[in-house]
Amino acid sequence: MEGSIEARVSHEVDLWLRWLPKWQPGTHRARMRLCRTCFGSPVIAAAGLTTDVPHAVQHSMSMRMKLIIDAAVDDYTDRNLPLLQRELEEAERRDRAQHYHPSEGLGPEAAGLELDPEPEDGHPFLFTLGELAAGSAPDAAGAAGRESAASAPELPLEPPPLSEEEKQAIRAEVRLADEFAQQVGRRVCAELVQHRERITAGVARYVEPQVVALLADLGRELDSPMWPSS
Ligand SMILES: [Zn+2]
């Protein structure tokens, strides 16, 4: 990826602001669980998106910043942490050979969200993407597994076990990667603060009116004679 962290943040904020007018309420079902990426995120706080902002709007910002941080950490690892890089490549090769990954290659608006909608009572799914990704859907995964076993019988060999020294050395590299990620995260947040004004202006223009209209609709529904008063 080209350019400084700060330039990348500015660019991703541009893209997010371009996406914002397309956001509509109710295009996704309400989440039952809190999003681990957004809840309590310093990125969301730095962007000024903590209060009264729908999750989908926050999430798309979180994922854009996560892309920047992940890319910077990947690059750092590739250049400075050879043992960790080798482990990651090995793990990825084995993982690719064995699993189907429905959550890969999604845009920042959808990445990191639940793969499957909430099930409805009395309408069970035959299988879910979540199960498929975990390799536990009884038929679909079994069939896919058999098929891939038939077409690619050679899974990569298990690497030889690591010695205690190698493990220590890898742990030290993991610590360095963590520290670097923290550092980049702080730079991303500091830069986001610089863009907070245009971010909140975008929310005021494209998001708030829709939320207000939604609440007004809800209010009318609750006032209607069809709604049993208690
Ligand atoms: Zn989220």
Side-chain angles (χ1 to χ4, degrees):
M1 215 195 274
E2 294 288 306
S4 68
I5 297 292
E6 287 71 19
R8 290 177 211 172
V9 170
S10 175
H11 178 64
E12 288 296 335
V13 171
D14 291 345
L15 293 177
W16 182 84
L17 283 168
R18 223 175 287 164
W19 164 81
L20 201 57
K22 291 185 219 143
W23 173 78
Q24 287 187 328
T27 47
H28 301 281
R29 285 210 226 175
R31 288 174 58 86
M32 308 304 274
R33 274 164 283 173
L34 283 175
C35 175
R36 277 180 297 172
T37 309
C38 299
F39 185 70
S41 159
V43 163
I44 294 300
L49 293 175
T50 318
T51 317
D52 295 335
V53 178
H55 174 241
V57 173
Q58 296 175 325
H59 193 80
S60 121
M61 178 64 82
S62 298
M63 293 316 288
R64 288 186 180 282
M65 296 306 121
K66 187 174 180 301
L67 284 179
I68 296 173
I69 297 170
D70 287 352
V73 173
D74 284 352
D75 185 51
Y76 175 80
T77 304
D78 188 27
R79 283 188 294 140
N80 304 298
L81 307 175
L83 300 175
L84 180 58
Q85 180 66 22
R86 204 184 59 201
E87 285 301 301
L88 291 174
E89 281 167 7
E90 184 63 35
E92 195 179 341
R93 216 177 58 218
R94 295 186 58 77
D95 199 45
R96 284 199 178 281
Q98 292 176 31
H99 292 297
Y100 161 62
H101 295 276
S103 58
E104 282 182 8
L106 300 174
E109 289 77 35
L113 292 176
E114 298 290 321
L115 290 169
D116 299 292
E118 290 292 328
E120 280 173 54
D121 286 343
H123 297 275
F125 296 118
L126 286 178
F127 65 87
T128 63
L129 288 173
E131 283 171 343
L132 213 55
S136 63
D139 292 327
R146 278 193 297 280
E147 199 168 287
S148 66
S151 56
E154 283 175 51
L155 285 177
L157 290 171
E158 193 75 53
L162 298 169
S163 70
E164 200 45 47
E165 292 82 64
E166 285 173 314
K167 283 185 196 162
Q168 296 261 350
I170 290 173
R171 274 188 216 119
E173 290 198 357
V174 169
R175 268 196 302 278
L176 286 174
D178 275 348
E179 280 166 22
F180 184 77
Q182 298 278 341
Q183 208 179 307
V184 177
R186 281 194 292 272
R187 276 174 68 187
V188 163
C189 288
E191 180 62 16
L192 264 182
V193 171
Q194 307 299 314
H195 297 275
R196 195 185 279 178
E197 211 170 302
R198 60 191 189 119
I199 291 170
T200 45
V203 169
R205 180 164 175 197
Y206 296 110
V207 177
E208 273 167 24
Q210 300 200 63
V211 172
V212 169
L214 200 71
L215 291 176
D217 277 355
L218 202 65
R220 268 196 295 281
E221 245 169 67
L222 292 177
D223 284 341
S224 95
M226 298 298 289
W227 190 265
S229 55
S230 51

